[in-house]
């Protein structure tokens, strides 16, 4: 039962983020997604892009399936001049999911202290692997805080 709830939550989160990512640019072009991802493609340092706004987040995925995040966006109050972004700096366990029917491969970050998870779908940009860390606004379909990650080093401690 617990794994069913986890799978349903992951499916909904990834599907929502995939739709948001595919429409965020306004071009209507489909987002290219990888068929699968490998462990060696994922281990390393992943930096958030400029759209994540300062302070730029960093995800460090280690070979032993542990991770550390710094300034990772987890909640956004929505568009507006007084909007607030809640960020998290913590560590935990990670794993990738390749075979979830109908979904692009995605990364799961388990926030053990907070008893929470984050799901980051993978996509391809210029044939390079990226992660979509967009944060949807609760109760506001179509609005999300855009934050995409690219691997900047195979060494997570770089």
């Amino acid at each position: 039962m617990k794994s069913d709830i986890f799978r349903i939550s992951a499916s909904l989160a990834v599907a929502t983020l995939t739709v948001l990512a595919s429409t965020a640019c306004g071009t209507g072009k489909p987002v290219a997604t990888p068929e699968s991802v490998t462990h060696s493609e994922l281990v390393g340092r992943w930096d958030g892009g400029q759209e994540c706004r300062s302070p730029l987040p960093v995800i460090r995925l280690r070979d032993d399936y542990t991770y550390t995040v710094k300034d990772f966006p987890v909640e956004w109050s929505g568009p507006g001049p007084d909007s607030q972004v809640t960020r998290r700096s913590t560590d935990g366990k990670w794993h990738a999911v390749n075979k979830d029917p109908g979904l692009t491969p995605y990364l799961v970050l388990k926030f053990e202290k907070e008893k929470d998870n984050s799901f980051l779908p993978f996509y391809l940009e210029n044939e390079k692997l990226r992660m979509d860390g967009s944060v949807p606004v609760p109760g506001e379909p179509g609005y999300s805080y855009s934050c995409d990650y690219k691997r900047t080093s195979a060494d997570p401690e770089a």
Side-chain angles (χ1 to χ4, degrees):
M1 173 87 141
K2 191 174 187 179
S3 67
D4 287 342
I5 292 170
F6 178 80
R7 188 180 178 290
I8 291 167
S9 297
S11 297
L12 290 173
V14 171
T16 300
L17 290 174
T18 301
V19 168
L20 290 171
S22 66
T23 59
C25 297
T27 63
K29 288 176 31 179
V31 174
T33 58
E35 286 187 30
S36 64
V37 293
T38 64
H39 184 78
S40 62
E41 289 178 297
L42 302 181
V43 170
R45 177 183 168 134
W46 291 77
D47 290 336
Q50 293 298 318
E51 75 280 357
C52 301
R53 301 180 213 142
S54 186
L56 295 178
V58 175
I59 302 172
R60 298 173 190 277
L61 301 178
R62 295 187 189 84
D63 194 42
D64 65 356
Y65 294 96
T66 61
Y67 75 85
T68 302
V69 295
K70 184 171 171 52
D71 299 318
F72 183 79
V74 292
E75 189 175 304
W76 183 44
S77 63
D82 298 327
S83 68
Q84 297 292 316
V85 176
T86 302
R87 295 175 183 266
R88 185 176 286 166
S89 294
T90 191
D91 54 17
K93 302 260 185 208
W94 69 272
H95 68 274
V97 177
N98 274 318
K99 298 189 189 265
D100 202 343
L103 297 177
T104 183
Y106 58 93
L107 181 76
V108 178
L109 297 178
K110 293 185 75 166
F111 297 114
E112 295 168 357
K113 295 174 192 164
E114 296 83 0
K115 297 184 181 0
D116 192 13
N117 298 303
S118 189
F119 307 97
L120 293 88
F122 294 103
Y123 68 97
L124 298 170
E125 182 179 276
N126 298 323
E127 299 182 20
K128 299 221 187 267
L129 190 63
R130 303 284 190 255
M131 288 190 295
D132 179 3
S134 297
V135 179
V137 178
E140 295 286 339
Y143 289 103
S144 71
Y145 181 85
S146 183
C147 189
D148 296 325
Y149 296 85
K150 68 178 180 178
R151 190 169 88 153
T152 56
S153 174
D155 178 1
E157 306 312 321

